[in-house]
Amino acid sequence: MKTFEKSHKLDYVCYDIRGPVMDEAQRMIAQGMDILKLNIGNPAPFGFRAPERVIQKMAESLTNTEGYSDSKGLLEARQAILNYCKSKNIPCASVDDIYTGNGVSELITMSMQGLLNQGDEILVPSPDYPLWTASVTLAGGTAVHYRCDEKQEWYPDIEDMKRKITSKTKGIVVINPNNPTGAVYPKEILEQIVQLARENDLILFADEIYDRLVMDGIEHVSLASLAPDLLTLSFNGLSKSHLIAGYRCGWVCLCGDKSKAGGYIEGLNLLSSMRLCSNVPAQSLIPEALDCLNETKELLVPGGRVYEQRECIYQALQEIPGVYTVKPKAAFYIFPRLDKDKFHICDDEKFALDFLKEQHILITHGGGFHWETPGYFRIVYLPETEVLKEAAKRLKDFLKNYKQV
């Protein structure tokens, strides 16, 4: 049995659920102060609603979903997921290769627990969605961060990935579309990553939760579709595309060549059974939701709310002296950079804390995403445009005289 002890490693992998910035925000809220939360990708507080037919389907299903399901999930839900995989050319062969989960987060943790022994390594992007690093660490492994290149639209640095593969490396995590940068990786980059995995006999972990939130006419290519000869775990769900983060409704599909993964799959089956099953009422709406994609698409084109909010925050940041950013192509996030020399930035967590105290706006500093270069931060652009404009104005005012000692 694996054992864990509290260490600095656990502090290192924590997200913004703790730490001085979040602690201060909670203290200010407790004192009755109004805080604008631009730190977490939760659509619910900002007036988004799930498609009505999806909510109605769940309501109709409640009386039929009061017991446990199969540990992997309802058959009709997994069949709908399998059909979706086929539409994306993802080589998932059977409903038996699909596990539903209480959000993708649970399944990420499960996938690492079933695989890693002490000292095993997983390549994880930097910046990352920090749950990946946390899950690797808590499973006894080591997250080795490969750089994504801001100068190249935040695409993975393939040469850096090559340098960081060792005899201990077990897999590569690819977050595409990416959180926190909003980047969408082209097929050519994905093919190079697949080739690295092929040459080094590695498992691919494809976090594609934002694949239905892509803008500017860009086509999202699923990593597993390029790797039918490799084992790929493809993660997805409804939290973001259907605006139902609180429903906790995700899945993972085991794709490609599973011939060498018998022990790993046995472990995943055991872990899946140990938690009995995922949220059954939420599972029941998967078929309806995956047949209901037009409502999401309408948000992502000119005139659509997410598109216009992306345009608004990007343009507003462009007008602030000393702030630079790559335009995101997907999801709800933008990852700006502060001019290090202009503001003397050496600690981006201090910047986030200072900004919170003065302007009552909560953001996440770049270090929270395992990005070591100071001066970066993430904004969630879910609020309506007038709120985003006001937030940008307050940031501009704050930066006029801001310098770190």
Side-chain angles (χ1 to χ4, degrees), residues 246-314:
Y247 286 43
R248 311 312 297 135
C249 189
W251 59 82
V252 61
C253 306
L254 275 60
C255 311
D257 184 5
K258 299 182 288 293
S259 62
K260 300 177 184 178
Y264 184 28
I265 294 171
E266 183 179 348
L268 291 176
N269 289 338
L270 177 61
L271 289 166
S272 179
S273 297
M274 285 170 62
R275 46 107 216 219
L276 296 180
C277 66
S278 66
N279 183 325
V280 183
Q283 289 182 50
S284 72
L285 58 81
I286 292 175
E288 189 74 26
L290 291 180
D291 190 44
C292 177
L293 301 180
N294 286 334
E295 286 86 343
T296 296
K297 292 177 182 178
E298 291 170 0
L299 297 171
L300 304 171
V301 296
R305 182 171 166 186
V306 173
Y307 179 93
E308 296 300 334
Q309 288 166 193
R310 188 272 306 258
E311 293 294 294
C312 172
I313 193 63
Y314 176 72

Side-chain angles (χ1 to χ4, degrees), residues 189-209:
I189 292 289
L190 297 175
E191 287 174 333
Q192 292 179 66
I193 296 173
V194 168
Q195 187 58 29
L196 276 182
R198 187 175 287 127
E199 291 170 356
N200 293 279
D201 195 24
L202 302 177
I203 301 172
L204 290 167
F205 298 89
D207 183 343
E208 299 180 345
I209 187 73

Side-chain angles (χ1 to χ4, degrees), residues 37-57:
K37 296 180 180 179
L38 302 182
N39 67 313
I40 191 168
N42 180 11
F46 299 109
F48 284 95
R49 286 293 308 275
E52 190 60 38
R53 58 188 275 203
V54 172
I55 296 174
Q56 184 61 35
K57 178 63 178 179

Side-chain angles (χ1 to χ4, degrees), residues 100-290:
T100 61
N102 297 302
V104 168
S105 298
E106 177 187 47
L107 297 167
I108 289 171
T109 300
M110 194 170 82
S111 72
M112 294 296 105
Q113 288 177 334
L115 176 67
L116 297 178
N117 293 309
Q118 200 74 29
D120 288 344
E121 296 176 352
I122 295 288
L123 293 193
V124 178
S126 174
D128 69 343
Y129 175 59
L131 179 74
W132 278 105
T133 296
S135 294
V136 171
T137 303
L138 291 171
T142 299
V144 177
H145 292 102
Y146 64 86
R147 284 181 67 87
C148 296
D149 188 352
E150 180 185 12
K151 295 179 181 178
Q152 299 295 325
E153 298 284 334
W154 286 113
Y155 298 159
D157 183 334
I158 302 299
E159 292 304 314
D160 191 52
M161 296 176 79
K162 288 179 181 178
R163 288 191 294 269
K164 289 175 176 173
I165 294 174
T166 73
S167 60
K168 297 180 180 180
T169 308
K170 301 300 180 184
I172 302 174
V173 174
V174 180
I175 305 173
N176 176 43
N178 185 267
N179 174 11
T181 66
V184 181
Y185 304 153
K187 183 178 179 182
E188 295 76 20
I189 292 289
L190 297 175
E191 287 174 333
Q192 292 179 66
I193 296 173
V194 168
Q195 187 58 29
L196 276 182
R198 187 175 287 127
E199 291 170 356
N200 293 279
D201 195 24
L202 302 177
I203 301 172
L204 290 167
F205 298 89
D207 183 343
E208 299 180 345
I209 187 73
Y210 298 100
D211 74 331
R212 295 178 296 278
L213 288 166
V214 177
M215 291 173 271
D216 304 331
I218 297 171
E219 178 185 1
H220 176 267
V221 177
S222 288
L223 188 65
S225 70
L226 305 175
D229 57 322
L230 302 177
L231 176 60
T232 303
L233 275 67
S234 188
F235 298 82
N236 215 314
L238 303 179
S239 291
K240 309 302 183 179
S241 63
H242 289 74
L243 312 171
I244 51 174
Y247 286 43
R248 311 312 297 135
C249 189
W251 59 82
V252 61
C253 306
L254 275 60
C255 311
D257 184 5
K258 299 182 288 293
S259 62
K260 300 177 184 178
Y264 184 28
I265 294 171
E266 183 179 348
L268 291 176
N269 289 338
L270 177 61
L271 289 166
S272 179
S273 297
M274 285 170 62
R275 46 107 216 219
L276 296 180
C277 66
S278 66
N279 183 325
V280 183
Q283 289 182 50
S284 72
L285 58 81
I286 292 175
E288 189 74 26
L290 291 180

